[in-house]
Amino acid sequence: MAAVLAGMTLSGCSALRGSDDKEQNLERFTAEQIYKRGEYELENSRRPEDAVHYFSEVERLYPYSEWAKRALIMQAYGHHRAGEYEEARGAAQRFIDTYPGDADAAYAKYLLALSYYDQIDDVGRDQGLTFQALVALREVIEEYPDSEYARSAILKFDLAFDHLAAKEMEIGRYYLKKGHYAASVNRFRVVVEEFQTTTQTPEALLRLVEAYLALGLNDEAQTAGAILGYNFQSSPFYEDAYRQLRGRGLSLEARGDSWLTNVYRQMVQGKWL
């Protein structure tokens, strides 16, 4: 992308300036002039879609040219700036399909991932876009590990992953509050088993302690507390779990033979078989 954005200047734009720019017959201008007018609009206008118009015209009037290639990636960027995420994905995918070996293919793939990621809303919404963002971000990481976008993709992947775990926690807390303890356990189990590396895990273990105590399953509650104590002893969630278990005369130790016992063996004892 640095190659595309390098040298953003206003040269070549003067011939295109005027109140009726978009109504002009752009065929009498060079690809460079139209492209640079798009750059000018992107840099100075509050309407990125105006810039997209010029980049689209470059591609239409001068197909298969170097300027058309640069204009296509800038269309994707302009659509994204305008919040037109579906259009951004379309332009980015066209660039990837047409120029798979180009230096800017990594940026196109990153833009495609961002078009999903930037639509991730609050935890209460449907998380379909979060899954799509995760898939697209993983592709950036795996296909372009040495690119300048891989590090950013990793950070965003971790945030999106945490977002999914937070959704499970929200539902689990709702069930727990309503007294649907078995249903809440299922949600907290997903966090512990599938989202173990996220920031949601300590609370999930605490809520498992609470749910299992409510169900009278003390062995499972004690095991959840033991995992929490071993991995997150400085967490306020551990302090809460410790108080609840000790208040019932229970220790924080792995007991019984449940799915949590297996987690304890793996996380604490390092036994994976």
Side-chain angles (χ1 to χ4, degrees):
M1 182 56 178
V4 175
L5 293 176
M8 265 195 174
T9 66
L10 304 186
S11 61
C13 296
S14 57
L16 279 165
R17 292 176 190 162
S19 59
D20 297 321
D21 281 349
K22 290 208 278 186
E23 302 304 322
Q24 293 187 45
N25 181 4
L26 296 178
E27 293 182 5
R28 59 193 181 92
F29 295 100
T30 67
E32 182 179 5
Q33 287 175 319
I34 304 170
Y35 178 90
K36 290 190 173 181
R37 178 60 188 184
E39 284 186 334
Y40 176 84
E41 291 292 335
L42 199 58
E43 192 75 5
N44 296 279
S45 172
R46 294 183 179 181
R47 291 173 47 83
E49 55 269 32
D50 290 344
V52 170
H53 166 74
Y54 291 105
F55 295 133
S56 299
E57 286 298 285
V58 173
E59 190 184 14
R60 182 180 70 85
L61 295 172
Y62 300 94
Y64 311 113
S65 68
E66 180 65 23
W67 288 108
K69 181 177 71 174
R70 296 171 67 178
L72 180 54
I73 192 71
M74 293 303 286
Q75 282 181 60
Y77 177 67
H79 279 306
H80 190 269
R81 279 268 302 269
E84 299 169 347
Y85 298 114
E86 187 173 345
E87 291 83 354
R89 282 193 290 275
Q93 189 60 59
R94 281 199 296 119
F95 187 94
I96 295 165
D97 293 341
T98 309
Y99 311 104
D102 191 81
D104 283 318
Y107 181 67
K109 179 72 76 169
Y110 181 67
L111 266 180
L112 194 153
L114 280 185
S115 72
Y116 289 117
Y117 180 84
D118 287 349
Q119 285 187 278
I120 297 175
D121 213 322
D122 59 270
V123 173
R125 300 288 183 87
D126 175 73
Q127 298 304 299
L129 285 170
T130 308
F131 280 109
Q132 291 174 299
L134 285 168
V135 171
L137 288 166
R138 182 180 289 278
E139 289 178 356
V140 174
I141 297 165
E142 293 179 347
E143 294 176 23
Y144 305 98
D146 300 322
S147 73
E148 60 186 293
Y149 311 107
R151 177 175 172 78
S152 178
I154 290 171
L155 293 174
K156 286 180 169 57
F157 184 94
D158 289 343
L159 289 171
F161 200 58
D162 199 275
H163 195 88
L164 285 180
K167 179 65 176 180
E168 295 294 331
M169 288 300 301
E170 180 193 46
I171 299 172
R173 282 192 296 265
Y174 172 81
Y175 286 140
L176 186 63
K177 184 178 180 180
K178 295 294 184 181
H180 304 314
Y181 301 117
S184 71
V185 164
N186 290 335
R187 294 295 181 165
F188 301 137
R189 179 174 179 172
V190 168
V191 175
V192 172
E193 289 190 320
E194 298 181 21
F195 299 95
Q196 199 173 97
T197 59
T198 71
T199 61
Q200 308 298 323
T201 302
E203 185 185 357
L205 288 165
L206 167 64
R207 303 308 171 197
L208 283 168
V209 169
E210 294 175 345
Y212 280 131
L213 286 176
L215 289 167
L217 299 174
N218 291 348
D219 285 356
E220 286 81 354
Q222 288 177 266
T223 305
I227 298 169
L228 183 54
Y230 183 85
N231 291 281
F232 309 101
Q233 198 165 48
S234 61
S235 166
F237 297 117
Y238 165 73
E239 296 174 7
D240 199 350
Y242 182 86
R243 281 195 304 270
Q244 293 188 48
L245 287 166
R246 296 300 293 172
R248 299 192 183 205
L250 301 173
S251 59
L252 284 74
E253 62 177 318
R255 296 177 62 88
D257 189 20
S258 68
W259 69 272
L260 273 168
T261 313
N262 292 330
V263 172
Y264 180 87
R265 293 192 189 105
Q266 294 168 3
M267 293 181 67
V268 178
Q269 299 177 335
K271 298 177 180 178
W272 295 92
L273 297 177

